[in-house]
């Protein structure tokens, strides 16, 4: 049975506990009583289980996305559209879509307990950096949904990184990976030479200096591809429904690497 099937079966809210369990439990209309707690234990929602981590990721992702959308004082139509795009990308069923939207709206509320949610999410991820990184990448997309990253949104992103134990200085590379496709996707396989800015961005995507050796570029590429490999992320707790998001990341990293390789061949 999938994580969603177990969740919809009842008892997960109680099993998770804390704000994540409360949100998902209430939204699914479960009675969080002792009988449901015993049922949750039997169906494998022990801490560290893949299904439990996936449920925590799903709950935290959409609720925090709503919080970021509200950071600049209002939620724009584009930010709502982004949430809808993520839902569409995940190919959620009708019930999952409803819960995702409700979580997003919960995160928009003034009383949303962001720090408590982040603290529990970090505990459920059990220091899995690649999983936390994917979470932050999705929140970066939320911050840029309206075309600009508002100072309030940037401060909130830094706060999220600090609460999750993710180095703030890594955000710049995440931004390059997240948005790099708009700079170089049009040149993949193109006979037109890439511009200097596109080449610089491709290096930022891989996190290497333009003067880096071929060996260093290849090492960075393989490391990023390994970190973003969909199967590896799912095994660590990324919901299966988010495999398309992870796949897009690997495609962007591959395009950046190919652009650098093409440029270096041209100049040798």
């Amino acid at each position: 049975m999938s994580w969603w099937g177990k969740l919809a079966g009842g008892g997960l809210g109680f099993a998770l506990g804390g704000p994540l369990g409360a949100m998902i439990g209430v939204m699914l209309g479960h009675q969080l009583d002792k009988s449901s707690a015993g049922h949750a234990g039997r169906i494998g929602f022990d801490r560290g289980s893949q299904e439990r981590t996936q449920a925590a990721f799903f709950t935290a992702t959409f609720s925090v996305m709503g919080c970021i959308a509200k950071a600049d004082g209002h939620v724009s139509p584009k930010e709502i559209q982004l949430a809808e795009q993520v839902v569409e990308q995940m190919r959620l069923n009708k019930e999952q879509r409803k819960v995702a939207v409700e979580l997003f709206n919960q995160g928009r509320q003034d009383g949303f307990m962001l720090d408590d949610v982040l603290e529990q999410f970090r505990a459920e991820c059990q220091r899995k950096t690649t999983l936390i990184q994917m979470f932050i990448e999705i929140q970066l997309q939320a911050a840029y949904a309206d075309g600009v990253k508002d100072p309030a949104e940037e401060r909130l992103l830094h706060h999220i990184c600090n609460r999750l134990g993710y180095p703030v200085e890594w955000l710049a590379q995440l931004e390059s990976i997240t948005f790099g496709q708009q700079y170089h996707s049009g040149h993949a396989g193109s006979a037109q030479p890439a511009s200097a800015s596109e080449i610089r961005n491709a290096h930022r995507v891989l996190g290497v200096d333009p003067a880096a050796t071929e060996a260093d570029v290849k090492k960075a590429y393989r490391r990023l591809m390994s970190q973003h490999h969909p199967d590896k992320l799912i095994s660590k707790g990324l919901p299966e429904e988010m495999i398309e998001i992870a796949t897009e990341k690997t495609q962007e990293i591959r395009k950046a690497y190919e652009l650098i390789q093409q440029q270096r061949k041209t100049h040798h």
Side-chain angles (χ1 to χ4, degrees):
M1 184 186 295
S2 70
W3 71 276
W4 180 261
K6 291 182 178 181
L7 184 151
L12 176 58
F14 193 100
L16 275 175
L20 294 177
M23 283 191 294
I24 202 73
V26 169
M27 289 176 185
L28 287 172
H30 295 323
Q31 296 298 317
L32 308 183
D33 53 22
K34 291 183 179 180
S35 62
S36 67
H39 176 62
R42 289 194 299 273
I43 60 178
F45 278 119
D46 297 325
R47 182 177 291 277
S49 69
Q50 183 183 25
E51 293 87 351
R52 176 170 170 146
T53 305
Q54 288 174 326
F57 192 101
F58 180 92
T59 307
T61 292
F62 286 102
S63 60
V64 174
M65 189 184 297
C67 184
I68 287 180
K70 184 69 179 298
D72 59 358
H74 68 282
V75 181
S76 73
K78 288 185 178 180
E79 288 167 327
I80 295 175
Q81 184 180 27
L82 171 71
E84 293 173 346
Q85 287 175 350
V86 174
V87 169
E88 184 66 29
Q89 198 173 24
M90 291 176 67
R91 300 193 179 106
L92 303 181
N93 61 38
K94 185 176 180 180
E95 186 177 11
Q96 288 172 320
R97 286 169 178 261
K98 181 180 178 181
V99 171
V101 171
E102 290 176 342
L103 287 169
F104 180 84
N105 290 332
Q106 182 72 20
R108 295 165 53 184
Q109 302 303 312
D110 291 338
F112 180 63
M113 299 182 293
L114 175 63
D115 285 355
D116 291 341
V117 165
L118 293 174
E119 181 179 350
Q120 184 181 2
F121 176 65
R122 182 180 183 180
E124 296 294 343
C125 285
Q126 298 186 327
R127 300 181 182 276
K128 296 173 181 174
T129 304
T130 53
L131 199 60
I132 290 174
Q133 179 169 298
M134 178 59 70
F135 174 83
I136 293 174
E137 288 183 32
I138 294 173
Q139 304 310 325
L140 262 173
Q141 291 181 323
Y144 274 104
D146 54 3
V148 294
K149 184 173 63 174
D150 184 88
E153 293 171 330
E154 184 166 16
R155 288 193 296 271
L156 185 54
L157 283 170
H158 286 192
H159 179 75
I160 290 171
C161 287
N162 287 329
R163 296 294 297 189
L164 295 179
Y166 189 85
V168 172
E169 57 268 23
W170 290 4
L171 266 179
Q173 185 180 356
L174 278 188
E175 290 186 51
S176 293
I177 295 173
T178 303
F179 305 105
Q181 187 176 22
Q182 62 182 303
Y183 296 103
H184 60 256
S185 61
H187 288 275
S190 172
Q192 296 295 323
S195 68
S197 62
E198 289 165 337
I199 295 297
R200 284 195 300 271
N201 187 74
H203 283 90
R204 285 197 296 269
V205 169
L206 298 188
V208 296
D209 188 270
T213 65
E214 180 66 26
D216 287 339
V217 171
K218 186 172 292 187
K219 181 179 179 181
Y221 166 69
R222 288 176 174 172
R223 174 177 55 81
L224 287 172
M225 290 295 285
S226 176
Q227 289 177 353
H228 290 80
H229 194 285
D231 291 342
K232 180 176 289 188
L233 284 168
I234 287 174
S235 71
K236 290 180 180 293
L238 183 76
E240 297 98 324
E241 292 83 356
M242 290 188 176
I243 191 170
E244 290 297 324
I245 296 175
T247 300
E248 282 191 7
K249 300 301 178 186
T250 60
Q251 290 173 345
E252 291 166 12
I253 293 166
R254 183 178 294 110
K255 287 175 181 177
Y257 177 69
E258 291 174 350
L259 186 61
I260 292 172
Q261 294 296 96
Q262 182 182 37
Q263 185 262 348
R264 292 192 172 196
K265 288 179 181 178
T266 303
H267 289 77
H268 283 83

